[in-house]
Amino acid sequence: MDGEGTKALFDYFGQIVFSYDLRQAIQGGQLSRYHYHPVLVELNGEEAQEYLQLTIEIGRAMQHQSDDDPPNQRLKMLLLRRARLLASAQAKLPALQAALADLAEPASKALFYCGDGQVESEGTEGDAFEERMMSQMQALIQMLGREARLRVARFSHHETMADREKLLTQLRDGRLDGLVAIRCLDEGIDLPDIRMGFILASS
């Protein structure tokens, strides 16, 4: 997705001499086999309006941008805001709750991936909007513990490497049902006994 950067790499290293794709890695046993089940959700009225407005602004910003130029700061900010909006859509938590309820057995040895956006909590009607907002991670942990009755823990940059190792051990031996992660597991993990993953936000 970066033509200029890709060209620079090819200019320096030369052409590709070997490729090994996901299908080969799965067939060779280097990666786990998996079944992928997308669940579609819709943006609510406010989210759809904001998405449309951001898309219009992105279009305007791109008009002043040539194909050869890297995206300017304003364009980057608009694209990031739109991505965060999609990642933290309000309908995702109820959709996850329904998916968990449909499982034949309670989720265990599970990973829950979320974004760094904000979602609206249930707070009381009189609460200010800012007071009703919380991170998607915080809302997800609350929902998994309260409604789904799962033992989960946060797995993020806030935890030390030692704490992360403890959490992974607790997940392996069944003391935790799942980990709620944000970015920290993006580069891949070697946990062969993981049974399921729920991706609420991805990059």
mmCIF file of all heavy atoms in Angstrom, residues 38-84:
data_model
loop_
_atom_site.group_PDB
_atom_site.id
_atom_site.type_symbol
_atom_site.label_atom_id
_atom_site.label_comp_id
_atom_site.label_asym_id
_atom_site.label_seq_id
_atom_site.Cartn_x
_atom_site.Cartn_y
_atom_site.Cartn_z
ATOM 1 N N PRO A 38 -17.303 -13.575 9.579
ATOM 2 C CA PRO A 38 -17.608 -12.139 9.711
ATOM 3 C C PRO A 38 -19.036 -11.921 10.216
ATOM 4 O O PRO A 38 -19.955 -12.659 9.853
ATOM 5 C CB PRO A 38 -17.465 -11.601 8.281
ATOM 6 C CG PRO A 38 -16.754 -12.659 7.522
ATOM 7 C CD PRO A 38 -17.075 -13.958 8.194
ATOM 8 N N VAL A 39 -19.207 -10.937 11.076
ATOM 9 C CA VAL A 39 -20.529 -10.531 11.556
ATOM 10 C C VAL A 39 -20.704 -9.066 11.176
ATOM 11 O O VAL A 39 -19.936 -8.212 11.625
ATOM 12 C CB VAL A 39 -20.648 -10.694 13.094
ATOM 13 C CG1 VAL A 39 -21.992 -10.189 13.580
ATOM 14 C CG2 VAL A 39 -20.434 -12.153 13.492
ATOM 15 N N LEU A 40 -21.687 -8.786 10.338
ATOM 16 C CA LEU A 40 -21.891 -7.416 9.870
ATOM 17 C C LEU A 40 -22.696 -6.620 10.888
ATOM 18 O O LEU A 40 -23.678 -7.111 11.437
ATOM 19 C CB LEU A 40 -22.618 -7.414 8.516
ATOM 20 C CG LEU A 40 -21.923 -8.169 7.383
ATOM 21 C CD1 LEU A 40 -22.738 -8.068 6.100
ATOM 22 C CD2 LEU A 40 -20.519 -7.631 7.151
ATOM 23 N N VAL A 41 -22.272 -5.396 11.142
ATOM 24 C CA VAL A 41 -23.043 -4.480 11.988
ATOM 25 C C VAL A 41 -23.213 -3.171 11.237
ATOM 26 O O VAL A 41 -22.429 -2.845 10.344
ATOM 27 C CB VAL A 41 -22.348 -4.220 13.356
ATOM 28 C CG1 VAL A 41 -22.230 -5.495 14.163
ATOM 29 C CG2 VAL A 41 -20.993 -3.568 13.179
ATOM 30 N N GLU A 42 -24.236 -2.425 11.606
ATOM 31 C CA GLU A 42 -24.496 -1.136 10.968
ATOM 32 C C GLU A 42 -24.111 -0.007 11.910
ATOM 33 O O GLU A 42 -24.206 -0.134 13.130
ATOM 34 C CB GLU A 42 -25.972 -1.013 10.609
ATOM 35 C CG GLU A 42 -26.409 -1.963 9.505
ATOM 36 C CD GLU A 42 -27.847 -1.727 9.066
ATOM 37 O OE1 GLU A 42 -28.474 -0.753 9.547
ATOM 38 O OE2 GLU A 42 -28.336 -2.509 8.243
ATOM 39 N N LEU A 43 -23.705 1.105 11.324
ATOM 40 C CA LEU A 43 -23.465 2.306 12.112
ATOM 41 C C LEU A 43 -24.811 2.867 12.540
ATOM 42 O O LEU A 43 -25.795 2.774 11.799
ATOM 43 C CB LEU A 43 -22.723 3.352 11.273
ATOM 44 C CG LEU A 43 -21.330 2.968 10.758
ATOM 45 C CD1 LEU A 43 -20.776 4.082 9.872
ATOM 46 C CD2 LEU A 43 -20.375 2.689 11.909
ATOM 47 N N ASN A 44 -24.867 3.458 13.740
ATOM 48 C CA ASN A 44 -26.112 4.116 14.126
ATOM 49 C C ASN A 44 -26.203 5.472 13.410
ATOM 50 O O ASN A 44 -25.290 5.856 12.666
ATOM 51 C CB ASN A 44 -26.218 4.248 15.660
ATOM 52 C CG ASN A 44 -25.151 5.170 16.249
ATOM 53 O OD1 ASN A 44 -24.653 6.091 15.598
ATOM 54 N ND2 ASN A 44 -24.795 4.918 17.508
ATOM 55 N N GLY A 45 -27.279 6.196 13.629
ATOM 56 C CA GLY A 45 -27.514 7.445 12.904
ATOM 57 C C GLY A 45 -26.391 8.460 13.058
ATOM 58 O O GLY A 45 -25.909 9.034 12.077
ATOM 59 N N GLU A 46 -25.964 8.675 14.294
ATOM 60 C CA GLU A 46 -24.894 9.651 14.556
ATOM 61 C C GLU A 46 -23.583 9.211 13.918
ATOM 62 O O GLU A 46 -22.860 10.018 13.340
ATOM 63 C CB GLU A 46 -24.700 9.836 16.062
ATOM 64 C CG GLU A 46 -25.800 10.627 16.733
ATOM 65 C CD GLU A 46 -25.581 10.749 18.237
ATOM 66 O OE1 GLU A 46 -24.444 10.486 18.700
ATOM 67 O OE2 GLU A 46 -26.540 11.086 18.939
ATOM 68 N N GLU A 47 -23.269 7.923 14.045
ATOM 69 C CA GLU A 47 -22.027 7.403 13.474
ATOM 70 C C GLU A 47 -22.044 7.509 11.950
ATOM 71 O O GLU A 47 -21.043 7.903 11.335
ATOM 72 C CB GLU A 47 -21.836 5.940 13.886
ATOM 73 C CG GLU A 47 -21.531 5.754 15.363
ATOM 74 C CD GLU A 47 -21.667 4.309 15.821
ATOM 75 O OE1 GLU A 47 -22.341 3.518 15.134
ATOM 76 O OE2 GLU A 47 -21.106 3.978 16.882
ATOM 77 N N ALA A 48 -23.186 7.178 11.345
ATOM 78 C CA ALA A 48 -23.290 7.252 9.882
ATOM 79 C C ALA A 48 -23.116 8.687 9.404
ATOM 80 O O ALA A 48 -22.445 8.950 8.395
ATOM 81 C CB ALA A 48 -24.634 6.691 9.428
ATOM 82 N N GLN A 49 -23.702 9.630 10.139
ATOM 83 C CA GLN A 49 -23.575 11.049 9.773
ATOM 84 C C GLN A 49 -22.117 11.502 9.881
ATOM 85 O O GLN A 49 -21.602 12.191 8.993
ATOM 86 C CB GLN A 49 -24.470 11.901 10.691
ATOM 87 C CG GLN A 49 -24.536 13.374 10.323
ATOM 88 C CD GLN A 49 -25.159 13.597 8.962
ATOM 89 O OE1 GLN A 49 -26.109 12.920 8.585
ATOM 90 N NE2 GLN A 49 -24.604 14.519 8.187
ATOM 91 N N GLU A 50 -21.462 11.104 10.970
ATOM 92 C CA GLU A 50 -20.055 11.480 11.143
ATOM 93 C C GLU A 50 -19.180 10.830 10.080
ATOM 94 O O GLU A 50 -18.259 11.451 9.541
ATOM 95 C CB GLU A 50 -19.573 11.079 12.543
ATOM 96 C CG GLU A 50 -18.170 11.574 12.848
ATOM 97 C CD GLU A 50 -17.688 11.224 14.247
ATOM 98 O OE1 GLU A 50 -18.493 10.724 15.064
ATOM 99 O OE2 GLU A 50 -16.487 11.438 14.516
ATOM 100 N N TYR A 51 -19.472 9.567 9.749
ATOM 101 C CA TYR A 51 -18.709 8.858 8.714
ATOM 102 C C TYR A 51 -18.841 9.582 7.372
ATOM 103 O O TYR A 51 -17.853 9.780 6.661
ATOM 104 C CB TYR A 51 -19.214 7.419 8.587
ATOM 105 C CG TYR A 51 -18.453 6.598 7.579
ATOM 106 C CD1 TYR A 51 -17.307 5.909 7.948
ATOM 107 C CD2 TYR A 51 -18.858 6.528 6.247
ATOM 108 C CE1 TYR A 51 -16.584 5.156 7.024
ATOM 109 C CE2 TYR A 51 -18.145 5.782 5.320
ATOM 110 C CZ TYR A 51 -17.014 5.105 5.715
ATOM 111 O OH TYR A 51 -16.298 4.370 4.794
ATOM 112 N N LEU A 52 -20.064 9.993 7.042
ATOM 113 C CA LEU A 52 -20.305 10.697 5.782
ATOM 114 C C LEU A 52 -19.545 12.021 5.759
ATOM 115 O O LEU A 52 -18.898 12.364 4.765
ATOM 116 C CB LEU A 52 -21.807 10.937 5.598
ATOM 117 C CG LEU A 52 -22.224 11.699 4.339
ATOM 118 C CD1 LEU A 52 -21.795 10.960 3.086
ATOM 119 C CD2 LEU A 52 -23.733 11.929 4.339
ATOM 120 N N GLN A 53 -19.614 12.762 6.875
ATOM 121 C CA GLN A 53 -18.923 14.054 6.939
ATOM 122 C C GLN A 53 -17.411 13.881 6.815
ATOM 123 O O GLN A 53 -16.746 14.630 6.091
ATOM 124 C CB GLN A 53 -19.266 14.756 8.261
ATOM 125 C CG GLN A 53 -18.737 16.175 8.377
ATOM 126 C CD GLN A 53 -19.244 17.091 7.264
ATOM 127 O OE1 GLN A 53 -20.426 17.086 6.936
ATOM 128 N NE2 GLN A 53 -18.349 17.859 6.672
ATOM 129 N N LEU A 54 -16.861 12.894 7.505
ATOM 130 C CA LEU A 54 -15.421 12.633 7.418
ATOM 131 C C LEU A 54 -15.021 12.225 5.996
ATOM 132 O O LEU A 54 -13.981 12.645 5.486
ATOM 133 C CB LEU A 54 -15.015 11.532 8.402
ATOM 134 C CG LEU A 54 -14.960 11.936 9.877
ATOM 135 C CD1 LEU A 54 -14.846 10.707 10.758
ATOM 136 C CD2 LEU A 54 -13.800 12.885 10.138
ATOM 137 N N THR A 55 -15.864 11.424 5.348
ATOM 138 C CA THR A 55 -15.578 10.980 3.989
ATOM 139 C C THR A 55 -15.554 12.164 3.024
ATOM 140 O O THR A 55 -14.692 12.250 2.142
ATOM 141 C CB THR A 55 -16.608 9.921 3.534
ATOM 142 O OG1 THR A 55 -16.551 8.821 4.442
ATOM 143 C CG2 THR A 55 -16.307 9.421 2.128
ATOM 144 N N ILE A 56 -16.493 13.091 3.208
ATOM 145 C CA ILE A 56 -16.516 14.304 2.373
ATOM 146 C C ILE A 56 -15.236 15.111 2.589
ATOM 147 O O ILE A 56 -14.597 15.569 1.634
ATOM 148 C CB ILE A 56 -17.773 15.153 2.691
ATOM 149 C CG1 ILE A 56 -19.028 14.431 2.189
ATOM 150 C CG2 ILE A 56 -17.661 16.539 2.070
ATOM 151 C CD1 ILE A 56 -20.335 15.023 2.688
ATOM 152 N N GLU A 57 -14.841 15.283 3.855
ATOM 153 C CA GLU A 57 -13.625 16.048 4.157
ATOM 154 C C GLU A 57 -12.380 15.351 3.614
ATOM 155 O O GLU A 57 -11.451 15.994 3.130
ATOM 156 C CB GLU A 57 -13.495 16.254 5.667
ATOM 157 C CG GLU A 57 -14.533 17.212 6.247
ATOM 158 C CD GLU A 57 -14.350 17.415 7.735
ATOM 159 O OE1 GLU A 57 -13.205 17.627 8.174
ATOM 160 O OE2 GLU A 57 -15.359 17.356 8.465
ATOM 161 N N ILE A 58 -12.363 14.014 3.679
ATOM 162 C CA ILE A 58 -11.233 13.249 3.121
ATOM 163 C C ILE A 58 -11.161 13.467 1.618
ATOM 164 O O ILE A 58 -10.078 13.668 1.048
ATOM 165 C CB ILE A 58 -11.375 11.745 3.470
ATOM 166 C CG1 ILE A 58 -11.089 11.531 4.961
ATOM 167 C CG2 ILE A 58 -10.438 10.886 2.618
ATOM 168 C CD1 ILE A 58 -11.488 10.158 5.484
ATOM 169 N N GLY A 59 -12.320 13.437 0.960
ATOM 170 C CA GLY A 59 -12.358 13.675 -0.483
ATOM 171 C C GLY A 59 -11.803 15.042 -0.846
ATOM 172 O O GLY A 59 -11.024 15.184 -1.797
ATOM 173 N N ARG A 60 -12.195 16.052 -0.064
ATOM 174 C CA ARG A 60 -11.690 17.414 -0.319
ATOM 175 C C ARG A 60 -10.182 17.478 -0.117
ATOM 176 O O ARG A 60 -9.459 18.094 -0.888
ATOM 177 C CB ARG A 60 -12.379 18.408 0.613
ATOM 178 C CG ARG A 60 -13.816 18.698 0.242
ATOM 179 C CD ARG A 60 -14.399 19.767 1.165
ATOM 180 N NE ARG A 60 -15.820 19.920 0.927
ATOM 181 C CZ ARG A 60 -16.728 20.061 1.887
ATOM 182 N NH1 ARG A 60 -16.363 20.054 3.161
ATOM 183 N NH2 ARG A 60 -17.999 20.191 1.585
ATOM 184 N N ALA A 61 -9.713 16.849 0.964
ATOM 185 C CA ALA A 61 -8.278 16.881 1.255
ATOM 186 C C ALA A 61 -7.480 16.161 0.167
ATOM 187 O O ALA A 61 -6.364 16.557 -0.173
ATOM 188 C CB ALA A 61 -8.005 16.245 2.620
ATOM 189 N N MET A 62 -8.058 15.101 -0.405
ATOM 190 C CA MET A 62 -7.355 14.335 -1.437
ATOM 191 C C MET A 62 -7.297 15.083 -2.770
ATOM 192 O O MET A 62 -6.414 14.817 -3.586
ATOM 193 C CB MET A 62 -8.014 12.963 -1.620
ATOM 194 C CG MET A 62 -7.794 12.048 -0.425
ATOM 195 S SD MET A 62 -8.543 10.435 -0.622
ATOM 196 C CE MET A 62 -7.229 9.563 -1.440
ATOM 197 N N GLN A 63 -8.222 16.016 -2.983
ATOM 198 C CA GLN A 63 -8.208 16.801 -4.219
ATOM 199 C C GLN A 63 -6.947 17.653 -4.325
ATOM 200 O O GLN A 63 -6.492 17.963 -5.416
ATOM 201 C CB GLN A 63 -9.438 17.707 -4.300
ATOM 202 C CG GLN A 63 -10.711 16.955 -4.643
ATOM 203 C CD GLN A 63 -11.923 17.875 -4.652
ATOM 204 O OE1 GLN A 63 -11.885 18.982 -4.107
ATOM 205 N NE2 GLN A 63 -13.002 17.416 -5.264
ATOM 206 N N HIS A 64 -6.421 18.054 -3.172
ATOM 207 C CA HIS A 64 -5.229 18.912 -3.143
ATOM 208 C C HIS A 64 -3.956 18.088 -2.999
ATOM 209 O O HIS A 64 -2.907 18.607 -2.652
ATOM 210 C CB HIS A 64 -5.329 19.914 -1.989
ATOM 211 C CG HIS A 64 -6.590 20.721 -2.023
ATOM 212 N ND1 HIS A 64 -6.869 21.638 -2.995
ATOM 213 C CD2 HIS A 64 -7.668 20.711 -1.198
ATOM 214 C CE1 HIS A 64 -8.058 22.178 -2.776
ATOM 215 N NE2 HIS A 64 -8.561 21.626 -1.687
ATOM 216 N N GLN A 65 -4.066 16.815 -3.251
ATOM 217 C CA GLN A 65 -2.952 15.896 -3.036
ATOM 218 C C GLN A 65 -2.623 15.204 -4.356
ATOM 219 O O GLN A 65 -3.505 14.646 -4.995
ATOM 220 C CB GLN A 65 -3.431 14.856 -2.007
ATOM 221 C CG GLN A 65 -2.440 13.857 -1.599
ATOM 222 C CD GLN A 65 -1.775 14.209 -0.293
ATOM 223 O OE1 GLN A 65 -2.220 15.077 0.423
ATOM 224 N NE2 GLN A 65 -0.690 13.553 -0.016
ATOM 225 N N SER A 66 -1.377 15.209 -4.761
ATOM 226 C CA SER A 66 -1.021 14.477 -5.985
ATOM 227 C C SER A 66 -0.703 13.028 -5.614
ATOM 228 O O SER A 66 -0.391 12.720 -4.466
ATOM 229 C CB SER A 66 0.173 15.128 -6.678
ATOM 230 O OG SER A 66 1.369 14.757 -6.043
ATOM 231 N N ASP A 67 -0.787 12.133 -6.599
ATOM 232 C CA ASP A 67 -0.560 10.710 -6.348
ATOM 233 C C ASP A 67 0.833 10.426 -5.802
ATOM 234 O O ASP A 67 1.054 9.450 -5.094
ATOM 235 C CB ASP A 67 -0.767 9.899 -7.638
ATOM 236 C CG ASP A 67 -2.231 9.899 -8.057
ATOM 237 O OD1 ASP A 67 -3.076 10.194 -7.202
ATOM 238 O OD2 ASP A 67 -2.513 9.605 -9.235
ATOM 239 N N ASP A 68 1.800 11.274 -6.158
ATOM 240 C CA ASP A 68 3.188 11.031 -5.752
ATOM 241 C C ASP A 68 3.502 11.540 -4.353
ATOM 242 O O ASP A 68 4.499 11.153 -3.751
ATOM 243 C CB ASP A 68 4.151 11.690 -6.753
ATOM 244 C CG ASP A 68 3.986 11.112 -8.156
ATOM 245 O OD1 ASP A 68 3.620 9.928 -8.255
ATOM 246 O OD2 ASP A 68 4.196 11.855 -9.131
ATOM 247 N N ASP A 69 2.645 12.442 -3.838
ATOM 248 C CA ASP A 69 2.918 13.039 -2.525
ATOM 249 C C ASP A 69 2.454 12.120 -1.400
ATOM 250 O O ASP A 69 1.391 11.490 -1.501
ATOM 251 C CB ASP A 69 2.190 14.380 -2.374
ATOM 252 C CG ASP A 69 2.744 15.434 -3.309
ATOM 253 O OD1 ASP A 69 3.908 15.280 -3.730
ATOM 254 O OD2 ASP A 69 2.016 16.390 -3.627
ATOM 255 N N PRO A 70 3.218 12.047 -0.302
ATOM 256 C CA PRO A 70 2.719 11.306 0.862
ATOM 257 C C PRO A 70 1.540 12.073 1.467
ATOM 258 O O PRO A 70 1.461 13.298 1.320
ATOM 259 C CB PRO A 70 3.922 11.292 1.816
ATOM 260 C CG PRO A 70 4.777 12.430 1.392
ATOM 261 C CD PRO A 70 4.542 12.631 -0.075
ATOM 262 N N PRO A 71 0.596 11.384 2.130
ATOM 263 C CA PRO A 71 -0.552 12.078 2.717
ATOM 264 C C PRO A 71 -0.109 13.165 3.695
ATOM 265 O O PRO A 71 0.811 12.954 4.480
ATOM 266 C CB PRO A 71 -1.311 10.963 3.461
ATOM 267 C CG PRO A 71 -0.838 9.695 2.848
ATOM 268 C CD PRO A 71 0.564 9.939 2.378
ATOM 269 N N ASN A 72 -0.769 14.338 3.629
ATOM 270 C CA ASN A 72 -0.417 15.413 4.567
ATOM 271 C C ASN A 72 -1.033 15.123 5.934
ATOM 272 O O ASN A 72 -1.837 14.198 6.094
ATOM 273 C CB ASN A 72 -0.858 16.779 4.019
ATOM 274 C CG ASN A 72 -2.361 16.854 3.819
ATOM 275 O OD1 ASN A 72 -3.126 16.394 4.659
ATOM 276 N ND2 ASN A 72 -2.796 17.426 2.704
ATOM 277 N N GLN A 73 -0.665 15.928 6.928
ATOM 278 C CA GLN A 73 -1.095 15.678 8.305
ATOM 279 C C GLN A 73 -2.611 15.725 8.453
ATOM 280 O O GLN A 73 -3.192 14.905 9.156
ATOM 281 C CB GLN A 73 -0.440 16.686 9.256
ATOM 282 C CG GLN A 73 1.015 16.400 9.563
ATOM 283 C CD GLN A 73 1.223 14.986 10.083
ATOM 284 O OE1 GLN A 73 1.817 14.145 9.433
ATOM 285 N NE2 GLN A 73 0.717 14.697 11.272
ATOM 286 N N ARG A 74 -3.252 16.683 7.793
ATOM 287 C CA ARG A 74 -4.721 16.802 7.897
ATOM 288 C C ARG A 74 -5.394 15.547 7.337
ATOM 289 O O ARG A 74 -6.311 15.003 7.950
ATOM 290 C CB ARG A 74 -5.200 18.046 7.168
ATOM 291 C CG ARG A 74 -6.724 18.136 7.100
ATOM 292 C CD ARG A 74 -7.224 19.501 6.681
ATOM 293 N NE ARG A 74 -8.640 19.476 6.359
ATOM 294 C CZ ARG A 74 -9.620 19.273 7.232
ATOM 295 N NH1 ARG A 74 -9.341 19.067 8.507
ATOM 296 N NH2 ARG A 74 -10.882 19.261 6.856
ATOM 297 N N LEU A 75 -4.920 15.084 6.188
ATOM 298 C CA LEU A 75 -5.503 13.898 5.576
ATOM 299 C C LEU A 75 -5.286 12.677 6.472
ATOM 300 O O LEU A 75 -6.198 11.875 6.682
ATOM 301 C CB LEU A 75 -4.900 13.671 4.187
ATOM 302 C CG LEU A 75 -5.414 12.453 3.411
ATOM 303 C CD1 LEU A 75 -6.932 12.489 3.273
ATOM 304 C CD2 LEU A 75 -4.750 12.383 2.042
ATOM 305 N N LYS A 76 -4.094 12.550 7.028
ATOM 306 C CA LYS A 76 -3.809 11.431 7.943
ATOM 307 C C LYS A 76 -4.755 11.455 9.145
ATOM 308 O O LYS A 76 -5.277 10.425 9.559
ATOM 309 C CB LYS A 76 -2.357 11.497 8.440
ATOM 310 C CG LYS A 76 -1.330 10.999 7.444
ATOM 311 C CD LYS A 76 0.039 11.075 8.087
ATOM 312 C CE LYS A 76 1.121 10.642 7.127
ATOM 313 N NZ LYS A 76 2.465 10.824 7.702
ATOM 314 N N MET A 77 -4.972 12.660 9.701
ATOM 315 C CA MET A 77 -5.833 12.804 10.871
ATOM 316 C C MET A 77 -7.277 12.409 10.532
ATOM 317 O O MET A 77 -7.940 11.706 11.297
ATOM 318 C CB MET A 77 -5.796 14.244 11.383
ATOM 319 C CG MET A 77 -6.619 14.468 12.636
ATOM 320 S SD MET A 77 -7.154 16.169 12.858
ATOM 321 C CE MET A 77 -8.153 16.473 11.420
ATOM 322 N N LEU A 78 -7.757 12.835 9.366
ATOM 323 C CA LEU A 78 -9.121 12.508 8.953
ATOM 324 C C LEU A 78 -9.287 11.001 8.742
ATOM 325 O O LEU A 78 -10.281 10.405 9.154
ATOM 326 C CB LEU A 78 -9.483 13.259 7.667
ATOM 327 C CG LEU A 78 -9.670 14.772 7.802
ATOM 328 C CD1 LEU A 78 -9.728 15.419 6.424
ATOM 329 C CD2 LEU A 78 -10.930 15.098 8.600
ATOM 330 N N LEU A 79 -8.309 10.383 8.086
ATOM 331 C CA LEU A 79 -8.361 8.940 7.850
ATOM 332 C C LEU A 79 -8.328 8.171 9.167
ATOM 333 O O LEU A 79 -9.038 7.174 9.339
ATOM 334 C CB LEU A 79 -7.201 8.509 6.949
ATOM 335 C CG LEU A 79 -7.303 8.954 5.487
ATOM 336 C CD1 LEU A 79 -5.967 8.770 4.772
ATOM 337 C CD2 LEU A 79 -8.411 8.211 4.763
ATOM 338 N N LEU A 80 -7.519 8.640 10.114
ATOM 339 C CA LEU A 80 -7.431 7.994 11.427
ATOM 340 C C LEU A 80 -8.750 8.116 12.177
ATOM 341 O O LEU A 80 -9.229 7.149 12.784
ATOM 342 C CB LEU A 80 -6.283 8.607 12.234
ATOM 343 C CG LEU A 80 -6.033 8.016 13.615
ATOM 344 C CD1 LEU A 80 -5.665 6.546 13.512
ATOM 345 C CD2 LEU A 80 -4.936 8.776 14.335
ATOM 346 N N ARG A 81 -9.362 9.310 12.131
ATOM 347 C CA ARG A 81 -10.649 9.517 12.809
ATOM 348 C C ARG A 81 -11.723 8.600 12.233
ATOM 349 O O ARG A 81 -12.524 8.026 12.965
ATOM 350 C CB ARG A 81 -11.086 10.979 12.698
ATOM 351 C CG ARG A 81 -10.413 11.894 13.714
ATOM 352 C CD ARG A 81 -10.851 13.327 13.578
ATOM 353 N NE ARG A 81 -12.278 13.494 13.681
ATOM 354 C CZ ARG A 81 -12.928 14.600 13.310
ATOM 355 N NH1 ARG A 81 -12.265 15.624 12.811
ATOM 356 N NH2 ARG A 81 -14.233 14.693 13.428
ATOM 357 N N ARG A 82 -11.738 8.450 10.913
ATOM 358 C CA ARG A 82 -12.749 7.586 10.290
ATOM 359 C C ARG A 82 -12.503 6.122 10.649
ATOM 360 O O ARG A 82 -13.445 5.376 10.915
ATOM 361 C CB ARG A 82 -12.762 7.783 8.770
ATOM 362 C CG ARG A 82 -13.935 7.082 8.100
ATOM 363 C CD ARG A 82 -14.053 7.410 6.646
ATOM 364 N NE ARG A 82 -12.948 6.865 5.873
ATOM 365 C CZ ARG A 82 -12.890 6.885 4.542
ATOM 366 N NH1 ARG A 82 -13.865 7.442 3.846
ATOM 367 N NH2 ARG A 82 -11.861 6.377 3.902
ATOM 368 N N ALA A 83 -11.231 5.707 10.666
ATOM 369 C CA ALA A 83 -10.908 4.331 11.044
ATOM 370 C C ALA A 83 -11.322 4.051 12.487
ATOM 371 O O ALA A 83 -11.859 2.984 12.802
ATOM 372 C CB ALA A 83 -9.413 4.075 10.853
ATOM 373 N N ARG A 84 -11.083 5.022 13.379
ATOM 374 C CA ARG A 84 -11.465 4.847 14.785
ATOM 375 C C ARG A 84 -12.975 4.759 14.939
ATOM 376 O O ARG A 84 -13.485 4.010 15.772
ATOM 377 C CB ARG A 84 -10.927 6.009 15.624
ATOM 378 C CG ARG A 84 -9.485 5.838 16.012
ATOM 379 C CD ARG A 84 -9.066 6.869 17.027
ATOM 380 N NE ARG A 84 -7.732 6.586 17.511
ATOM 381 C CZ ARG A 84 -6.867 7.511 17.884
ATOM 382 N NH1 ARG A 84 -7.194 8.779 17.837
ATOM 383 N NH2 ARG A 84 -5.676 7.177 18.316
#
